[in-house]
Amino acid sequence: GTDGPDRVFRALRVQIAPDRAGLVSGRALESTALDSADVTSGTDTTQLPAQYSPGEVETRRYEGWVEAGYFRADADSEAPPFTIVIPPPNVTGSLHIGHALDHTLIDALVRRRRMQGYNALWLPGMDHAGIATQNVVERELAREGLSRHDLGRAAFIERVWQWKAESGGKILGQMRRLGDSVDWSRERFTMDAGLSRAVQTMFKRLYEDGLIYRAQRIINWCPRCLTALSDIEVEHSDDEGELVSIRYGEGSDQIVVATTRVETMLGDTAVAVHPDDPRYAHLVGREIELPLTGRRIPVVADPHVDPEFGTGAVKVTPAHDPDDFEIGRRHDLPSLVIMDERGVITAGGPFQGLDRFEARPAVLAALRAEGRIVAERRPYLHAVGHCSRCGTTVEPRLSLQWFVKVEPLAKAAGDAVRDGRVRIYPQEMSARYFDWVDDMHDWCISRQLWWGHRIPIWYGPDGEVVCVGPDDEPPLGEGWEQDSDVLDTWFSSGLWPFSTLGWPDDTPDLRSFYPTSVLVTGYDILFFWVARMMLFGLYAMADRGPDDAVPFRQVALHGLVRDQFGKKMSKTRGNTVDPLDWIDRFGADATRFTLARGATPGGDVAVSEDWVAGSRNFCNKLWNAVRFAQLNGAVTGQGVRPSSQLTAPDRWILSRLAAVTAEVDALFEQFEFAKVCDVLYHFAWDEFCDWYLELAKPVLTGTGVTGSDEAAAHATRQVLGEVLDRLLRLIHPLLPFVTEELWTALTGGESVVVARWPGQTADGATDGLPPLPADPAAEAEISALMRLVTEVRRFRSDQGLRPGQQVPARLDGLGATVLAQHEGRIRTLLRLSEPGADFSPSASLHAEGVTIELDTAVGLDVAAERKRLTKDLAAARADIEAVERKLASPSFVERAPAQVVGKNRDRLAAAQAEVARLTERLAALPADGAAVSGTA
RNA sequence: GGGCGCAUAGCUCAGCGGUAGAGCACUCGCCUUACAAGCGAGGGGUCGCAGGUUCGAAACCUGCUGCGCCCACCA
């Protein structure tokens, strides 16, 4: 009573029938026995389909893995830990293609470590994303004609939780589709009770250490979101504005100031000039008239003013400009607030109630009417800050906020990278990190929002301020009230590497899995998130000592996903990609491979549908390689015979696989995902499929092989099985689904997810796979064979001969040797069925290589051949010239490494031989057309 | 305004001191009994420009040009 796909599965195993393969694993036999009905239904119908269909496989496999508990880490394990915490996606929406990239890379790292025998934990979770989520839900409410104030704080928060349940569920579903091997038993959310405890604990510690303080400051304010923003939540862009010069004062007491924000003049409380500026020395200390207001304001001298810029005089608006605020402090000026939290003028008078952008032209007009405008420059490009969430122009605003005193924390965060306790990949990116960490302003952490961690501060009726820890009782009684603000969402994300493991409690998870191993994320949140985790991790976990307090040992940064033209993806551009769409149409593996394949360290990834199709084709290639292996009775689990009993192609492919395995290991350690993909892709496709399988065919089918003996065939079946077995394991971290489907079918093993990695294993893991023998001799032999075959094919193609048509060739030197050893294989590769004839070793063995002889009697094209030979000759001559020039230089011979000189000598000899051979062949060619007689 | 990075085949990119590479696209020939989502062969690049260092430069240095990105309180 099973469904179709399962049948295909068992059928696969049936293919490894004992009579074909000789031996087969017990599991495969069991499977065979389970469903004898299918076995008898005939081999033709029970073969693997010719194409891989990911859809059904992926969901079935994923659920199977979760049920089997493969992704669950064990805090009591003896094995060395490997931990990655997910960069928690915002609950605001769904995962985009950038997440898919991030998850693909993380998953590949985690899966490899798991196979290597590490106690691997990938901890999943999500971020409550304070302002972003609140905005989304508020927008939703707005569609119902409601505002959050209509609901009230408690009901609104309830509503956000509801929203989180839906949206969060969607995200988790997407992660399953991607194949993320996360430990679902450890899923976290930044607003969980446990994490809230961590937030409160952290706040209290910082507060008690004097690292959190409350102060009246000019902060970035979003008049739309109605909250403070931190510096990094402000995005600057060069916007068109106007630079207006206004005359303040009258007669000899006049001074001209320039501003881009005319309307703020209503709040001016001084004019500042440079102390050494002779032009205005006489005015310093005097009061002049401020237009439109009837107020008189002082002229002060402040070194901040640049006498070179504009008129050298600055209007000072302490309540609405951070610089001016500082000047105001230095000169004890009053701060006059002329705007409310929505950016509406509250200064009274004719401008009362105007929005800041309406007030600007209105004030300008009024000034002009009084003849106060000296000059106007427009358009005037200058940097303007915008809210990173909604794009609204940020308004500097004087208000009472909570801040983290960053300096001591940032110093430690910088040092951890400087002295190598945390390594950033690629290293060049650490420069950016230092730029920021070494020059960080205090961090404004209070937000005037409802969705988030409430600031754990209570104010008493008599001005008392009490910080309430998670285990403290909040002060009760008349007049006590909790601060109404919430914390910046990055406050809780900064705790993520340890709050998720149980901190502040000393849990087994925290002991086992902290510090985490690698942090994988896009360079775009290096400042937002990575730096904050460094700040907080080093502080909170300081009792572990400097080495183990770090939140992660390595930071692997990747880039942004871009479209096929390298353009940034954006909704307005309409070039965004939904990862689910690609997964539906091409499969999760193809989607993952496409992303991984472009992932150079720190580099952006350009993708398009064509590339995904290419990756899908690769999956299909693997599928068919296994199909081939099945049909030919590949054997796994037996290892391979000693080299002396193997054919050259067998030894060659094993040797190559050994090299590839080592290469892949080294590349993974450097987070060179693109190269890992490249190496595996070319090994699997070019070397294994295009050459090895073709070479194995005659052995396996017993045709065309000298002696065609069964022992050799069995040895090759073992090699075929062994190579595919290991290859699938190597690719599994990148293509988890196909490899699982194929590996279990091929080997009868339980799951490749928990199969042992073919390369390096964790310290203490004793059951690694034995290393494969390197065999340089076999590699040389087979590459000679490849050259020979390629040369003949090229000739055939040049001459327009049909495949399989006899080629009149003479083999010299190595060519002859290769042919003598591999004639059967070569005949198969060249589709030459008849033995002997025009294709045989020649008696003339004057040099290495192949000589193809034109037989005009059968109508071969002399002109084409002459063209080819001439071209090759020119290339060879150019080569000689270049190398000779090099070798003629005494300084080259003296100074270049001996190896390089030797290589060049070899190259020269080879090129000279080539020229001789080509010259001879050219001379031997009949005149064009002349020899083609009527007898052809 | 400051800092960083990039300019290599039609497109996207790798190579970063010793014979110019990949994928896709393109041309030609093939339904070869694993795969036409395939097989075989091929064309295509004075490595942005100008100097310099070196026996040797796509790679190192300088300048220029053209693009990105990050940071930023110059009114």
Side-chain angles (χ1 to χ4, degrees):
Chain A
T2 51
D3 53 5
D6 221 5
R7 245 189 90 221
V8 171
F9 232 162
R10 268 195 287 285
L12 263 171
R13 290 173 187 158
V14 172
Q15 284 301 312
I16 322 172
D19 57 331
R20 279 296 292 271
L23 282 159
V24 91
S25 75
R27 183 171 286 271
L29 286 168
E30 277 168 30
S31 300
T32 308
L34 270 176
D35 202 344
S36 52
D38 281 339
V39 178
T40 53
S41 69
T43 46
D44 289 349
T45 55
T46 54
Q47 288 171 7
L48 274 181
Q51 284 183 2
Y52 170 55
S53 325
E56 176 277 333
V57 169
E58 292 180 353
T59 43
R60 172 167 50 82
R61 282 300 178 183
Y62 193 84
E63 297 313 319
W65 292 333
V66 173
E67 273 170 41
Y70 294 150
F71 303 158
R72 209 168 298 150
D74 176 8
D76 300 324
S77 169
E78 298 286 304
F82 180 80
T83 316
I84 291 185
V85 289
I86 197 171
N90 291 352
V91 283
T92 34
S94 51
L95 301 185
H96 54 68
I97 194 79
H99 291 113
L101 169 64
D102 194 56
H103 291 206
T104 295
L105 304 186
I106 294 176
D107 197 44
L109 292 177
V110 171
R111 284 179 184 270
R112 169 165 171 268
R113 288 296 190 217
R114 186 151 43 223
M115 293 174 77
Q116 285 178 310
Y118 286 83
N119 180 25
L121 168 62
W122 180 8
L123 187 144
M126 288 180 283
D127 196 300
H128 69 281
I131 188 171
T133 308
Q134 174 159 331
N135 279 350
V136 171
V137 176
E138 281 191 282
R139 263 201 299 276
E140 205 181 61
L141 281 177
R143 277 197 292 275
E144 302 164 25
L146 295 171
S147 82
R148 66 174 146 134
H149 301 283
D150 296 328
L151 299 192
R153 188 160 185 153
F156 177 76
I157 290 175
E158 187 47 44
R159 176 82 183 231
V160 182
W161 275 105
Q162 265 174 36
W163 199 86
K164 182 258 168 186
E166 291 167 35
S167 174
K170 190 170 164 191
I171 290 171
L172 301 181
Q174 285 179 302
M175 289 173 63
R176 300 174 105 87
R177 292 295 309 277
L178 273 166
D180 294 352
S181 64
V182 297
D183 185 343
W184 290 112
S185 71
R186 288 180 163 85
E187 188 196 331
R188 299 287 185 269
F189 180 55
T190 50
M191 293 273 281
D192 282 349
L195 275 72
S196 298
R197 257 174 69 75
V199 166
Q200 279 185 55
T201 306
M202 188 68 175
F203 189 98
K204 192 173 181 190
R205 277 201 199 173
L206 287 165
Y207 181 76
E208 288 175 349
D209 279 354
L211 294 172
I212 281 184
Y213 65 92
R214 195 179 196 213
Q216 185 89 18
R217 289 279 174 83
I218 296 264
I219 43 81
N220 304 297
W221 180 266
C222 176
R224 199 212 66 85
C225 301
L226 298 179
T227 179
L229 303 171
S230 66
D231 288 348
I232 52 175
E233 286 167 307
V234 177
E235 287 169 357
H236 296 267
S237 61
D238 277 344
D239 291 3
E240 272 189 21
E242 57 204 343
L243 184 65
V244 181
S245 300
I246 312 167
R247 180 172 52 82
Y248 284 11
E250 289 294 347
S252 59
D253 285 355
Q254 65 170 269
I255 194 163
V256 175
V257 298
T259 182
T260 54
R261 302 209 49 205
V262 179
E263 71 282 8
T264 62
M265 60 85 56
L266 298 173
D268 285 1
T269 54
V271 170
V273 299
H274 192 87
D276 304 332
D277 196 329
R279 291 173 293 178
Y280 304 117
H282 67 287
L283 287 173
V284 173
R286 300 183 58 116
E287 290 203 334
I288 58 172
E289 179 210 352
L290 180 66
L292 303 182
T293 62
R295 298 192 345 252
R296 296 185 70 79
I297 56 176
V299 176
V300 299
D302 193 283
H304 169 80
V305 179
D306 176 4
E308 305 294 315
F309 187 92
T311 60
V314 189
K315 62 191 272 306
V316 182
T317 324
H320 295 280
D321 182 280
D323 282 336
D324 294 3
F325 181 74
E326 292 303 317
I327 295 177
R329 279 231 288 222
R330 285 195 284 273
H331 299 276
D332 206 19
L333 301 170
S335 292
L336 202 59
V337 175
I338 57 144
M339 234 182 261
D340 68 8
E341 74 276 8
R342 293 176 191 273
V344 173
I345 303 293
T346 56
F351 309 108
Q352 175 73 22
L354 289 181
D355 177 78
R356 56 191 168 144
F357 295 116
E358 298 164 353
R360 186 172 300 171
V363 171
L364 186 61
L367 287 168
R368 193 178 288 120
E370 286 196 12
R372 295 286 184 166
I373 304 303
V374 176
E376 284 178 73
R377 259 175 73 192
R378 69 173 79 185
Y380 180 77
L381 279 184
H382 67 300
V384 176
H386 300 270
C387 171
S388 64
R389 281 298 153 201
C390 70
T392 303
T393 301
V394 163
E395 188 62 42
R397 182 162 196 257
L398 184 64
S399 68
L400 191 58
Q401 303 285 349
W402 287 95
F403 295 87
V404 170
K405 190 175 175 203
V406 152
E407 202 210 302
L409 300 172
K411 169 82 169 65
D415 288 345
V417 174
R418 257 185 288 274
D419 60 27
R421 273 135 61 209
V422 175
R423 281 199 303 280
I424 296 181
Y425 296 82
Q427 221 204 319
E428 306 88 80
M429 289 280 182
S430 42
R432 279 195 196 186
Y433 172 83
F434 292 133
D435 280 351
W436 194 72
V437 135
D438 293 343
D439 184 30
M440 195 175 169
H441 294 35
D442 281 358
W443 170 18
C444 176
I445 50 169
S446 44
R447 295 288 180 278
Q448 289 64 52
L449 303 169
W450 286 352
W451 176 240
H453 299 280
R454 191 110 173 232
I455 288 180
I457 292 281
W458 292 71
Y459 305 104
D462 302 314
E464 304 98 317
V465 177
V466 175
C467 182
V468 176
D471 302 321
D472 304 334
E473 286 298 322
L476 293 173
E478 194 62 25
W480 281 91
E481 237 179 79
Q482 186 172 6
D483 194 303
S484 61
D485 289 353
V486 299
L487 287 164
D488 180 6
T489 194
W490 298 101
F491 192 96
S492 55
S493 344
L495 310 174
W496 189 250
F498 45 98
S499 63
T500 51
L501 296 172
W503 189 88
D505 300 324
D506 184 25
T507 60
D509 271 10
L510 189 64
R511 279 195 296 272
S512 298
F513 298 111
Y514 192 92
T516 69
S517 309
V518 192
L519 184 89
V520 182
T521 193
Y523 59 71
D524 54 329
I525 57 171
L526 187 62
F527 304 140
F528 283 89
W529 189 45
V530 179
R532 307 233 131 122
M533 288 188 287
M534 291 287 286
L535 258 44
F536 280 177
L538 290 165
Y539 173 79
M541 305 299 289
D543 56 346
R544 292 241 182 156
D547 286 347
D548 293 336
V550 295
F552 27 73
R553 318 220 98 114
Q554 296 175 306
V555 178
L557 296 169
H558 60 248
L560 272 33
V561 180
R562 293 169 177 275
D563 73 8
Q564 59 195 305
F565 305 112
K567 295 274 184 243
K568 209 166 173 172
M569 286 190 178
S570 70
K571 283 184 186 131
T572 49
R573 224 184 232 112
N575 59 352
T576 54
V577 166
D578 177 1
L580 277 189
D581 176 47
W582 279 0
I583 292 173
D584 286 341
R585 287 159 55 218
F586 300 101
D589 287 332
T591 304
R592 292 168 58 119
F593 199 73
T594 304
L595 294 166
R597 214 176 171 185
T600 72
D604 290 346
V605 183
V607 293
S608 83
E609 219 167 286
D610 285 350
W611 320 57
V612 193
S615 302
R616 186 242 355 236
N617 295 355
F618 180 53
C619 296
N620 194 233
K621 193 69 182 173
L622 294 173
W623 180 264
N624 273 286
V626 172
R627 196 158 88 107
F628 173 87
Q630 295 284 0
L631 294 171
N632 286 282
V635 183
T636 60
Q638 296 182 353
V640 294
R641 298 196 183 170
S643 291
S644 59
Q645 295 175 35
L646 297 177
T647 64
D650 289 339
R651 286 180 280 124
W652 165 72
I653 199 70
L654 291 170
S655 181
R656 285 293 305 134
L657 180 57
V660 163
T661 303
E663 219 175 331
V664 164
D665 265 331
L667 292 170
F668 258 121
E669 297 298 330
Q670 295 299 312
F671 307 107
E672 292 277 6
F673 297 98
K675 286 181 187 166
V676 168
C677 291
D678 193 59
V679 166
L680 288 170
Y681 181 92
H682 285 109
F683 174 77
W685 199 313
D686 300 348
E687 298 190 281
F688 183 69
C689 289
D690 286 350
W691 285 101
Y692 178 73
L693 293 188
E694 294 304 322
L695 284 164
K697 275 178 185 173
V699 188
L700 294 166
T701 56
T703 58
V705 156
T706 342
S708 75
D709 65 287
E710 180 50 34
H714 186 70
T716 291
R717 283 190 200 109
Q718 287 179 327
V719 173
L720 183 59
E722 183 73 17
V723 172
L724 259 179
D725 178 351
R726 289 180 186 237
L727 178 60
L728 290 169
R729 295 183 201 219
L730 284 172
I731 303 179
H732 175 257
L734 295 156
L735 303 177
F737 293 109
V738 229
T739 51
E740 175 74 329
E741 192 75 356
L742 293 174
W743 189 84
T744 50
L746 179 76
T747 67
E750 178 182 307
S751 170
V752 71
V753 175
V754 288
R756 188 56 78 221
W757 179 252
Q760 299 163 7
T761 49
D763 295 344
T766 51
D767 51 347
L769 295 173
L772 295 171
D775 194 331
E779 291 199 31
E781 203 178 315
I782 296 302
S783 72
L785 179 151
M786 288 157 109
R787 263 184 290 148
L788 188 160
V789 170
T790 302
E791 179 66 18
V792 173
R793 282 171 176 167
R794 187 168 81 159
F795 177 81
R796 206 142 62 177
S797 187
D798 281 354
Q799 288 293 328
L801 299 178
R802 295 181 56 76
Q805 196 165 339
Q806 298 294 331
V807 175
R810 188 152 53 89
L811 301 181
D812 311 325
L814 187 59
T817 314
V818 170
L819 181 66
Q821 289 168 331
H822 303 293
E823 179 166 358
R825 297 189 184 97
I826 290 169
R827 284 191 176 287
T828 309
L829 291 173
L830 293 173
R831 318 244 160 238
L832 294 168
S833 48
E834 297 168 38
D838 297 323
F839 188 73
S840 61
S842 160
S844 91
L845 299 171
H846 52 77
E848 166 187 325
V850 194
T851 299
I852 313 278
E853 296 185 328
L854 264 187
D855 184 350
T856 51
V858 293
L860 293 183
D861 186 342
V862 180
E865 181 66 356
R866 188 185 311 282
K867 195 173 152 197
R868 163 67 64 187
L869 292 177
T870 307
K871 186 188 153 200
D872 288 355
L873 186 60
R877 284 194 168 132
D879 214 29
I880 287 176
E881 202 180 317
V883 180
E884 268 180 344
R885 198 180 319 121
K886 205 182 265 191
L887 288 168
S889 154
S891 38
F892 170 72
V893 181
E894 282 161 29
R895 295 200 210 168
Q899 217 182 343
V900 174
V901 177
K903 257 168 75 178
N904 277 278
R905 293 223 166 92
D906 293 349
R907 191 176 141 203
L908 181 63
Q912 282 166 341
E914 182 75 359
V915 167
R917 198 161 50 235
L918 291 168
T919 310
E920 189 185 322
R921 283 170 64 181
L922 264 173
L925 279 185
D928 288 6
V932 185
S933 66
T935 63

